[in-house]
Amino acid sequence: MEIEACIFDLDGVIVDTAKYHYLAWKELAAGLGFEFTRADNERLKGVSRMTSLNILIEIGGITLNDEQKEKLAAQKNAQYVSYIRKMSPDEILPGVTRFLDELKAAGIKTAVGSASKNTPLILERLKLIGYFDAVVDGNKVSKAKPDPEVFLKGAEELAVHPKNCVVFEDAPAGVKAALNAGMECIGIGLPENLPGAKKVIPGFDNFQLSDLKKIVHE
Ligand code: B16
Ligand code: MG
């Protein structure tokens, strides 16, 4: 396999927005009268906003109609946006910018493949707009991870065959989406949480293109 492109998930790979998602969901749950824990929050990583809300109300033992759900999802998003509006480039996770620069210098294309509809705002706050050859996010796809649509669209926009793409993902649904797209997947986080990934690394600190090539070709 020749590495021609790397596709990065956003939340949990480029930046730790999970803490802001958690705060906003926790506040919503408190308003509904139940507690939402950090462990519960793990179930929301990489899944869409509405699926997240469905998981949350299942935890709270609440039933809502579609209109009520739309209202609560909008309420949570407004709160989440109020947090991410304050983000700055120093929140980019360690080693990410250096690794992106290394890929660029080696002629490897880069893309973002995220479920988040807030991707444009986050990239703007991180001053990463224009850093990627393609950005595919929750505004552009209709099928959520583990469906491969987000990554296949990324490969298409980059004009690279899926088998020559490597995906970096922090969520089980995202790892499955990458595999469903026929791509190699490197997990970010803990190996026990990301079965199916070719290798799981803690992050990009000290991670070089030569390390990636070794993993992919071993
Ligand atoms: P939004 P990723 C995902 O982003 C998050 O991991 C997930 O927790 C969130 O529910 C989803 O985006 C939708 O986000 O509400 O901003 O549209 O990991 O795919 O970059
Ligand atoms: Mg993620």
Side-chain angles (χ1 to χ4, degrees):
M1 179 250 189
E2 201 55 49
I3 305 168
E4 289 180 23
C6 288
I7 307 181
F8 297 80
D9 172 57
L10 179 63
D11 293 346
V13 170
I14 292 172
V15 67
D16 178 19
T17 40
K19 60 186 176 208
Y20 302 126
H21 279 297
Y22 173 58
L23 282 177
W25 285 124
K26 192 178 159 65
E27 284 166 47
L28 194 81
L32 295 168
F34 65 93
E35 202 198 339
F36 181 69
T37 67
R38 268 185 198 282
D40 294 331
N41 194 55
E42 286 303 305
R43 292 177 61 191
L44 308 192
K45 285 188 179 170
V47 302
S48 72
R49 193 180 306 166
M50 207 32 100
T51 307
S52 299
L53 179 65
N54 284 329
I55 295 171
L56 184 106
I57 61 177
E58 178 204 304
I59 290 168
I62 292 171
T63 317
L64 300 170
N65 64 32
D66 286 351
E67 198 186 322
Q68 290 168 316
K69 283 189 200 172
E70 288 294 343
K71 216 175 127 201
L72 287 179
Q75 193 181 318
K76 179 267 172 180
N77 190 55
Q79 188 64 2
Y80 175 64
V81 166
S82 78
Y83 293 129
I84 59 174
R85 264 194 201 297
K86 296 183 199 130
M87 285 198 312
S88 62
D90 58 15
E91 289 186 60
I92 298 173
L93 289 169
V96 168
T97 315
R98 181 204 41 76
F99 185 61
L100 287 172
D101 287 339
E102 198 190 351
L103 293 177
K104 214 176 272 189
I108 295 172
K109 292 181 182 170
T110 59
V112 169
S114 169
S116 176
K117 293 186 174 169
N118 291 298
T119 296
L121 172 62
I122 296 169
L123 292 180
E124 183 209 308
R125 292 305 307 160
L126 300 178
K127 297 211 187 329
L128 284 178
I129 291 251
Y131 229 87
F132 296 91
D133 300 301
V135 175
V136 182
D137 62 24
N139 302 295
K140 283 192 184 173
V141 296
S142 52
K143 290 175 236 142
K145 300 170 185 176
D147 188 281
E149 185 184 11
V150 65
F151 296 133
L152 290 176
K153 231 183 184 124
E156 193 186 313
E157 287 198 17
L158 295 173
V160 171
H161 195 283
K163 74 173 186 340
N164 293 321
C165 295
V166 178
V167 169
F168 292 90
E169 252 296 345
D170 72 312
V175 173
K176 285 191 193 120
L179 300 182
N180 287 339
M183 299 176 181
E184 288 285 9
C185 186
I186 309 292
I188 304 291
L190 298 171
E192 56 268 36
N193 295 340
L194 299 168
K198 175 108 183 168
K199 171 121 190 168
V200 180
I201 59 170
F204 294 97
D205 216 8
N206 297 317
F207 187 74
Q208 323 267 342
L209 177 55
S210 55
D211 300 317
L212 177 61
K213 284 185 173 163
K214 239 180 269 162
I215 294 168
V216 165
H217 296 133
E218 73 194 7

